[in-house]
Amino acid sequence: MIKNYLKVAWRNLLRNKSHSFINIAGLSVGLACSLLILLWVQNELSIDGFHKNSNRLFTVYGVVHNNHKINGTYDTPGILADEMKKVIPEVEYATGMGFGESSVFRVGDKTLKINGNSAGADYFKMFSYPLLQGSAQTALNSPAAIAISRKMAEQFFGSPENAMGKTLRYQNSKNFMVSAVFENLPKNVSQRFEFLTNWEAFLTNNPWAREMGNTGPPTYVMLRKDANAALVNKKVTNFYDLYFHVNRKASPYYVDLALQPFAESYLHNNLDNGKPDGGRIEYVRLFSIIAIFILLIACINFMNLTTARSVKRAREIGVRKVVGALRSSLIWQFISESLLITAMAVVVSLVLLILLLPLFNQVTQKQIELPFNQASFWIKLVLITLITGLISGSYPALFLSSFNPVKVLKGTLKLDSGTTMFRKGLVVFQFVLSVILITGTIIVSRQMSFVQSRNLGYDKENLVLVVMEGELESKYQLLKNELLNTSNIQSVSRVSAPPTDTYGSTGAVYWTGKDTTNVAMFTQMGVGYDYLKTMKMSLLAGRDFSKDFPMDTANYVLNESAIKETGYKDPIGQPFTLFGKRGKIIGVVKDFHFHSMHTAIGPMVFKYGENVPGSVLIRTQPGRTREAVTVIESLCKRLNPAFPPSYYFVDQQYQNLYQNEQIINKLSNAFAFLAIFISCLGLLGLAMFTAEQRIKEIGIRKVLGASVRSLFGLMSKEFLLLVIIALFIATPLTWYAMNKWLQGFAYRTPVQWWVFVISGGLIILIALATVSFQAIKAALINPIKSLRSE
């Protein structure tokens, strides 16, 4: 019986080649898109979820209450981990985590630049990274200890065994001894590193992090097995009260602590109103819905085309019923045809998947592999095939098997209005989804253009940051002088942190008349002479740091937001204290963005930093960046031969802040195009069928004098009306969804009405282009042939 079903199904496929091609093409593209998204979603959901003690691991975050507004932050004091472990008995282990670094290591004649981080002594006790050599108890328990990856061990020492106890020269300034070798990190981790130094190394490089009032690095804790996470969460709320005596009722500013499951931190990384709310999980949900939508569009194509062609198979069904075929056998016949088409589409989709995956990985910056060796993948694929086949074939099977054989054989069968409306409803639904995707894509693109073109408060073009390593620190003035002696360089300064994403904030600031209950947090940055000139920032009052004023080493430049916080009406010359160092305000700079536009501009204070570690900031002459980089590399090699030159461009770093959004934008573009492509395949199939069904009507109209233009309008009107209905339904849905997405940006472009007009016009043009060929072809056919056709 099954063999007979498949044989009949195969014959029908060959008999209706164009119909079969459209169905298989639509389903295969839809399945390929859905499988790509499924692999991406699985990868996202697997991030950081493999740790053995995952249910006891938590990320600590702050709930910031500021003037009756509540925000959240993952920035915590550098000593918070040790303090929580001491004070809270339920905390078994705790660790801080650095900001990540790219450091130069040397062993003998071999020098390599490697990405790593710093962590507390408890790190390997908390996180399940297999140790090939050493133990979790001793891996990071010494300030001179360093844990390295298998890859790093093989690069320097040939094997993990040979690496143990060996010495690595770090930044040509300090020796670390290899105390542990861990297995190369799996692909599904959010924090990547090739080495970890002890937390003391981080505190030494960032002495400000030793103060409880300063925040920056994240903190993680692991609770004891018998601890109640909910009770501990309540217990840590007022943790800062042990160090700061803040009256919560009277003070406009105070910070509470809270715990978030570590496995959720990667996806639920947006803290809204002081609680985890959204983040990357929104993109996972969004693309899961898109995958379902695209597959639904493909399934709807199948249902629509099969139902539309039902009249063609009416006699076949009537004859089958007359000779005794049961309705159940007819249903299984049509379901088997649907499953056969779906199976063929799955094969084609796997080929597309293999071809597209490298490009998909490049766009998403992932390392996703096809899990052909996993039984679960094949089980899911079979389930998807069955579900898709059943959804695609269910309605046509039920509908076709219900035909009355008497009416069919008499030739009096007509599709009722309910069937026609259902078919039109499916077309409308397809284009509603397509309109949502294309309009959303336009709005996402506009927001990306907005953040790239917005005035940041400085000129990010032609700015190069050179990391000060080794001897560059002591030879900075020589480097600056030689750079300024070349015609390719405009100006040079130095800075303690990148201007695109400055970390570290402090409440250790004081000014005349400050409310002692106000613990406002200021971001601080050390800058050298000519910093404002090099950044091309706007001074609103006062001046920049200058060699002509020796007392500037104790003075400060504040931004507009900081001045508002102090309440100074005439700030120049007013006293200001940072970290207990009293000075005066010598300048006020216009507000500028030192984080991404997801974050509102906050108070910023510049301190004298001609001698602080960090980077050299270089502005090149416009159009001479390549020549300038050649000069920079040459000077760095000559002045600092032990270190390879390390530099990057500020505009590229700024773009990296929106890496997720750029990926989403590219994926949205691709999936919107594919959704429209699949929808148009269905529209083309319906246009072909409609033209075929109305061929005699068209012939009669031509005989009576109808023009090609009027016939084209007649054929196109029905489909355009469906697309316009889809536009009216999709517009409010898209407006709501995109407004919600834009709320994640502190600075955003408004959703303009003309975006929907452009989107609608584009959809209408695409629909017209799709049906026009078939409509014109039908209108141009010889009426004699039309009237003779059966």
Side-chain angles (χ1 to χ4, degrees):
M1 183 66 73
I2 295 175
K3 183 180 179 181
N4 184 56
Y5 286 160
L6 293 175
K7 186 183 293 185
V8 173
W10 179 252
R11 287 173 180 170
N12 275 310
L13 284 176
L14 295 179
R15 189 179 300 120
N16 304 293
K17 293 184 178 64
S18 58
H19 172 267
S20 302
F21 173 78
I22 291 173
N23 265 335
I24 292 172
L27 276 176
S28 59
V29 172
L31 282 165
C33 291
S34 299
L35 288 172
L36 274 176
I37 295 173
L38 176 64
L39 291 172
W40 181 79
V41 167
Q42 284 183 325
N43 180 272
E44 287 286 289
L45 293 175
S46 70
I47 301 291
D48 292 337
F50 59 89
H51 295 289
K52 179 181 177 182
N53 299 310
S54 183
N55 63 325
R56 295 195 284 146
L57 287 172
F58 294 86
T59 302
V60 182
Y61 68 92
V63 182
V64 183
H65 300 258
N66 189 6
N67 290 321
H68 307 293
K69 294 181 181 179
I70 303 176
N71 294 306
T73 178
Y74 288 110
D75 295 345
T76 60
I79 58 173
L80 181 62
D82 290 337
E83 294 299 313
M84 291 186 74
K85 191 176 174 183
K86 290 176 187 175
V87 174
I88 302 174
E90 292 88 348
V91 174
E92 183 174 7
Y93 300 120
T95 181
M97 193 77 179
F99 304 116
E101 58 179 284
S102 183
S103 304
V104 174
F105 288 89
R106 189 177 77 240
V107 175
D109 296 331
K110 193 166 204 174
T111 302
L112 294 173
K113 190 153 201 170
I114 299 175
N115 295 324
N117 214 325
S118 299
D122 289 342
Y123 190 83
F124 287 105
K125 303 172 192 174
M126 300 167 62
F127 298 97
S128 305
Y129 297 121
L131 292 179
L132 305 176
Q133 297 291 319
S135 68
Q137 285 69 33
T138 60
L140 294 172
N141 65 349
S142 166
I146 185 171
I148 64 176
S149 67
R150 176 199 286 269
K151 177 184 175 182
M152 188 171 170
E154 291 173 348
Q155 285 176 322
F156 280 113
F157 306 106
S159 70
E161 295 80 9
N162 293 338
M164 283 299 292
K166 299 294 175 57
T167 300
L168 287 160
R169 185 67 174 171
Y170 168 80
Q171 294 289 84
N172 204 30
S173 61
K174 182 178 180 180
N175 290 331
F176 281 106
M177 186 180 73
V178 178
S179 56
V181 179
F182 54 88
E183 184 58 88
N184 295 332
L185 299 187
K187 295 173 183 176
N188 57 337
V189 297
S190 59
Q191 300 168 332
R192 306 203 66 84
F193 49 84
E194 295 293 336
F195 69 85
L196 286 177
T197 57
N198 180 273
W199 193 239
E200 186 61 33
F202 174 84
L203 295 177
T204 300
N205 291 334
N206 301 274
W208 54 267
R210 296 182 185 274
E211 298 295 328
M212 201 66 178
N214 302 332
T215 62
T219 299
Y220 309 101
V221 298
M222 182 173 135
L223 304 185
R224 298 186 184 279
K225 290 182 180 180
D226 58 348
N228 184 313
L231 293 178
V232 177
N233 203 11
K234 291 180 180 179
K235 194 171 184 177
V236 303
T237 300
N238 299 334
F239 186 82
Y240 282 144
D241 286 357
L242 298 172
Y243 307 88
F244 311 107
H245 302 289
V246 178
N247 185 339
R248 280 174 163 71
K249 293 182 179 180
S251 175
Y253 183 95
Y254 60 92
V255 181
D256 294 330
L257 289 183
L259 303 180
Q260 178 186 17
F262 175 75
E264 296 180 7
S265 302
Y266 173 74
L267 290 177
H268 301 79
N269 58 345
N270 182 37
L271 299 175
D272 185 27
N273 202 29
K275 294 180 180 179
D277 180 25
R280 290 183 68 91
I281 189 64
E282 293 178 358
Y283 296 131
V284 171
R285 292 168 181 160
L286 171 66
F287 280 106
S288 298
I289 293 171
I290 288 175
I292 295 170
F293 279 3
I294 289 176
L295 198 54
L296 270 177
I297 290 171
C299 291
I300 288 169
N301 270 357
F302 184 97
M303 296 165 67
N304 232 339
L305 293 173
T306 306
T307 307
R309 293 190 64 84
S310 57
V311 176
K312 287 287 185 180
R313 300 192 65 178
R315 288 189 179 181
E316 174 196 340
I317 297 162
V319 171
R320 283 176 176 273
K321 282 195 170 186
V322 167
V323 297
L326 298 174
R327 188 182 182 191
S328 59
S329 64
L330 290 173
I331 289 174
W332 281 112
Q333 172 64 52
F334 295 121
I335 290 291
S336 65
E337 289 183 19
S338 173
L339 289 172
L340 178 61
I341 290 175
T342 305
M344 294 174 69
V346 167
V347 173
V348 176
S349 72
L350 287 176
V351 175
L352 291 174
L353 200 61
I354 293 170
L355 296 174
L356 293 174
L357 191 58
L359 178 62
F360 186 77
N361 280 333
Q362 184 180 345
V363 171
T364 59
Q365 299 183 7
K366 294 275 188 181
Q367 295 176 309
I368 300 172
E369 297 176 352
L370 286 171
F372 287 150
N373 59 340
Q374 297 178 14
S376 59
F377 173 77
W378 294 107
I379 292 172
K380 290 174 183 175
L381 194 62
V382 170
L383 287 173
I384 289 172
T385 304
L386 290 174
I387 292 170
T388 304
L390 290 172
I391 291 174
S392 301
S394 58
Y395 179 75
L398 293 170
F399 172 71
L400 295 175
S401 64
S402 67
F403 284 175
N404 187 318
V406 177
K407 290 184 177 180
V408 168
L409 296 177
K410 283 185 176 180
T412 59
L413 177 69
K414 292 185 179 180
L415 299 181
D416 58 43
S417 59
T419 302
T420 305
M421 288 301 295
F422 180 76
R423 198 171 74 245
K424 290 180 178 180
L426 292 177
V427 173
V428 170
F429 182 67
Q430 279 184 310
F431 275 92
V432 165
L433 301 182
S434 298
V435 170
I436 290 173
L437 285 173
I438 196 169
T439 310
T441 298
I442 293 173
I443 293 172
V444 170
S445 298
R446 287 193 71 233
Q447 177 64 16
M448 290 300 97
S449 298
F450 173 77
V451 298
Q452 294 296 333
S453 60
R454 180 179 165 86
N455 183 6
L456 302 177
Y458 62 90
D459 183 1
K460 65 180 184 297
E461 305 298 328
N462 305 309
L463 269 181
V464 182
L465 272 179
V466 177
V467 180
M468 282 195 290
E469 300 172 306
E471 296 180 48
L472 280 187
E473 183 72 36
S474 59
K475 296 179 180 178
Y476 163 69
Q477 197 57 51
L478 176 61
L479 173 67
K480 180 177 181 177
N481 292 337
E482 295 210 20
L483 285 171
L484 292 175
N485 284 334
T486 68
S487 59
N488 301 312
I489 307 296
Q490 275 191 5
S491 59
V492 179
S493 186
R494 66 189 298 173
V495 61
S496 62
T500 52
D501 196 18
T502 304
Y503 52 81
S505 57
T506 178
V509 289
Y510 301 95
W511 58 86
T512 301
K514 179 185 178 182
D515 184 351
T516 55
T517 62
N518 183 0
V519 196
M521 303 298 285
F522 279 54
T523 303
Q524 56 88 24
M525 184 190 295
V527 300
Y529 297 126
D530 302 322
Y531 177 77
L532 301 184
K533 171 187 173 184
T534 305
M535 289 286 288
K536 291 191 176 180
M537 288 182 172
S538 300
L539 264 174
L540 300 179
R543 57 177 176 80
D544 194 359
F545 296 103
S546 173
K547 290 181 181 179
D548 298 331
F549 298 88
M551 293 301 295
D552 274 1
T553 55
N555 290 332
Y556 303 100
V557 174
L558 277 63
N559 71 344
E560 288 179 276
S561 295
I563 295 299
K564 289 177 184 176
E565 189 68 41
T566 64
Y568 284 142
K569 300 300 181 185
D570 186 14
I572 302 303
Q574 296 289 350
F576 189 85
T577 302
L578 173 68
F579 297 141
K581 190 173 182 179
R582 184 180 174 85
K584 293 181 179 180
I585 299 172
I586 61 170
V588 178
V589 66
K590 188 176 178 62
D591 273 348
F592 69 100
H593 291 274
F594 49 89
H595 289 299
S596 76
M597 289 192 191
H598 291 285
T599 307
I601 298 173
M604 163 67 79
V605 52
F606 292 126
K607 64 182 180 180
Y608 172 81
E610 193 70 10
N611 55 357
V612 297
S615 303
V616 182
L617 185 67
I618 303 168
R619 178 166 295 281
T620 65
Q621 294 286 1
R624 298 187 189 177
T625 301
R626 183 176 297 178
E627 295 86 346
V629 168
T630 301
V631 172
I632 292 168
E633 287 181 339
S634 175
L635 279 172
C636 288
K637 287 178 182 178
R638 178 162 60 84
L639 298 177
N640 195 28
F643 290 77
S646 179
Y647 61 89
Y648 55 87
F649 298 96
V650 171
D651 57 348
Q652 290 179 353
Q653 289 297 109
Y654 180 73
Q655 288 181 3
N656 291 340
L657 296 178
Y658 307 96
Q659 191 175 51
N660 290 337
E661 287 78 10
Q662 289 168 352
I663 290 172
I664 297 306
N665 188 25
K666 291 176 183 178
L667 292 180
S668 298
N669 290 337
F671 292 135
F673 169 78
L674 292 171
I676 293 168
F677 170 75
I678 297 170
S679 297
C680 289
L681 276 180
L683 202 60
L684 176 63
L686 286 175
M688 290 169 62
F689 173 74
T690 302
E692 189 178 340
Q693 290 295 103
R694 302 176 70 175
I695 190 167
K696 285 190 177 181
E697 176 193 342
I698 293 169
I700 293 171
R701 287 179 179 272
K702 288 196 74 174
V703 168
L704 296 175
S707 65
V708 173
R709 181 178 178 183
S710 64
L711 290 172
F712 171 73
L714 177 70
M715 292 285 294
S716 304
K717 182 173 66 175
E718 178 183 352
F719 299 111
L720 284 181
L721 179 62
L722 298 179
V723 173
I724 290 170
I725 292 171
L727 282 171
F728 277 103
I729 296 172
T731 297
L733 296 175
T734 309
W735 183 88
Y736 172 78
M738 296 316 299
N739 263 292
K740 188 173 181 182
W741 178 75
L742 287 169
Q743 295 303 314
F745 292 85
Y747 305 92
R748 51 189 175 268
T749 182
V751 179
Q752 302 282 6
W753 62 269
W754 55 263
V755 172
F756 297 96
V757 174
I758 290 176
S759 178
L762 188 60
I763 289 288
I764 289 172
L765 285 174
I766 292 170
L768 270 176
T770 303
V771 301
S772 61
F773 173 76
Q774 194 62 35
I776 293 171
K777 180 182 175 183
L780 290 174
I781 197 169
N782 190 324
I784 297 175
K785 291 182 179 180
S786 301
L787 296 173
R788 282 180 178 175
S789 63
E790 296 181 1

